[in-house]
Amino acid sequence: MNTIHSYVDSVFEKLPKNQEMNRLKAEMLASMEEKYRDLIEQGTTENEAIGTVLAEFGNIDEIIEAYNLEIDEQEYDPDVIVMSRSEVDNYLFHRQKFSLAMATGVFLCIISVAFLFLSMVIGSLLNRGASNDVFALVGTVLMLLTIAMGIGLFIIFGMQESSYPFDKKILRLDPATYAEVKAQYEIFKQKLSYAIAAGVISCILGPVFLLLSIVFLGEDNMISIVFLMSFIAVGVFLFVYYGIQNDTFEKLLTMGSHTRAQVISNKYSERISAVIFPLATLFYLYQGFVNGAWGTAWIVFPIVGIGFGILTTVITGIANLTDKKK
């Protein structure tokens, strides 16, 4: 239902703001909601019902022709990026690859520690002093190579990410594309919930197997670290992979931390933080070197942190109120 409301809002966004248009908007929304409920009662799925309703009622050209309207062209907004259907598809494809690369990079960096200890375990099983050193060296080399591959993924796909300068920007989609992305997001959220559950379970199993291996194999066994890091690596992979994709959908749909009010709030907050935190550091250094108050001057950091949090909340609230008035 929220998709229908967002669609109607976007349809009337560039139309004249008067009583007649408000009435027409209310009638159109009521008709679409009624049609949507009828389709749901007939057993149609939510996504299919939304698609049918948008196709039947969402023709802005008919509204413009019937009322002989002229579309008000909006002034240029540097914070808004208008995206076409092809640009949205390309961005989704890139972010899917980006999320996989980032998740794999983090996985490799964590699992590299497991490789090191696994090599040492294999060496200890051979019961030869010389082989222990060799396998420890092999494990160290394997760990460094694995970390290097992970860092390589960060660099390569981080550079590709710079081709999409959407940070601190508001993305605007046409109504049809918005509705389709919203439908994709509804399907994705089911996968997201399963992924989060699996990630949490994996992170819990790590310490469980660590404790079990200590109980049955003794405190000095290194296989416990292998279990711990392996399960944590899998859990973190799921969090990063699905988390980035979720952020992508929220960015395209202007949801969560990507609403107009939140984007504006973040811009002001970053400007303020760029001033007050360096000043807090200078104050701490001054008190330390000049007055010797190293043990007490640190209190400035939690004070500034709490004050900054309160200020950020106020800025976000003002931005929300301003955005609602538009």
Side-chain angles (χ1 to χ4, degrees), residues 6 9 11 13 68 80 93 111 115 118 135 147 162-164 176 179 191 196 206 231 264 269 312 326:
S6 299
D9 288 339
V11 166
E13 183 177 6
N68 193 24
V80 175
F93 181 66
I111 204 69
F115 290 158
L118 181 61
F135 276 94
I147 293 175
S162 63
S163 301
Y164 297 87
K191 300 179 182 178
I196 292 175
F231 279 106
I264 294 174
S269 298
T312 300
K326 291 183 177 181

Side-chain angles (χ1 to χ4, degrees), residues 25-285:
K25 178 180 178 180
E27 291 180 356
M28 181 177 178
L29 183 58
S31 298
M32 294 177 74
E33 289 178 343
E34 183 180 358
K35 180 66 175 180
Y36 171 82
R37 286 191 290 268
D38 290 341
L39 291 172
I40 293 297
E41 291 176 358
Q42 295 172 14
T44 307
T45 64
E46 182 178 354
N47 291 333
E48 291 177 347
I50 291 175
T52 301
V53 170
L54 296 184
E56 184 173 338
F57 292 93
N59 193 336
I60 187 174
D61 295 330
E62 293 180 358
I63 299 175
I64 295 173
E65 182 179 354
Y67 287 84
N68 193 24
L69 300 174
E70 293 183 359
I71 296 179
D72 297 332
E73 294 297 333
Q74 295 181 332
E75 295 181 359
Y76 170 72
D77 188 344
D79 293 326
V80 175
I81 297 178
V82 180
M83 299 184 68
S84 65
R85 171 63 183 274
S86 60
E87 289 174 332
V88 171
D89 290 340
N90 290 336
Y91 183 56
L92 283 170
F93 181 66
H94 156 73
R95 289 288 286 184
Q96 187 172 20
K97 294 191 300 179
F98 178 77
S99 62
L100 179 60
M102 295 299 102
T104 303
V106 173
F107 175 85
L108 290 174
C109 289
I110 297 175
I111 204 69
S112 64
V113 180
F115 290 158
L116 170 63
F117 282 92
L118 181 61
S119 299
M120 297 171 65
V121 169
I122 295 175
S124 64
L125 291 176
L126 296 178
N127 294 322
R128 298 176 184 175
S131 65
N132 287 343
D133 295 335
V134 172
F135 276 94
L137 177 61
V138 171
T140 302
V141 172
L142 184 60
M143 179 183 69
L144 294 176
L145 288 176
T146 306
I147 293 175
M149 288 189 291
I151 294 176
L153 289 173
F154 295 150
I155 295 174
I156 293 172
F157 284 87
M159 294 178 66
Q160 292 183 12
E161 178 74 0
S162 63
S163 301
Y164 297 87
F166 298 154
D167 188 33
K168 304 182 188 68
K169 297 292 184 180
I170 302 164
L171 303 185
R172 178 173 295 166
L173 284 56
D174 65 84
T177 303
Y178 185 95
E180 183 170 339
V181 173
K182 179 72 180 219
Q184 294 179 26
Y185 182 49
E186 294 299 325
I187 297 174
F188 169 79
K189 283 197 298 186
Q190 298 178 3
K191 300 179 182 178
L192 177 65
S193 61
Y194 292 133
I196 292 175
V200 171
I201 292 173
S202 183
C203 289
I204 293 175
L205 287 177
V208 169
F209 275 87
L210 171 69
L211 295 174
L212 289 176
S213 60
I214 290 176
V215 170
F216 291 103
L217 301 177
E219 296 182 359
D220 296 332
N221 83 90
M222 291 177 288
I223 195 66
S224 59
I225 304 298
V226 176
F227 283 130
L228 176 66
M229 301 310 294
S230 298
F231 279 106
I232 289 179
V234 172
V236 173
F237 173 89
L238 292 173
F239 293 147
V240 174
Y241 179 64
Y242 285 92
I244 292 177
Q245 291 190 59
N246 184 67
D247 183 75
T248 302
F249 279 111
E250 290 189 345
K251 180 73 172 175
L252 290 170
L253 299 173
T254 320
M255 299 168 57
S257 61
H258 299 291
T259 62
R260 174 183 287 273
Q262 193 64 54
V263 170
I264 294 174
S265 172
N266 291 341
K267 290 177 64 176
Y268 284 110
S269 298
E270 288 184 8
R271 293 173 185 174
I272 295 173
S273 66
V275 175
I276 63 173
F277 286 109
L279 288 177
T281 303
L282 290 175
F283 175 82
Y284 176 71
L285 294 175

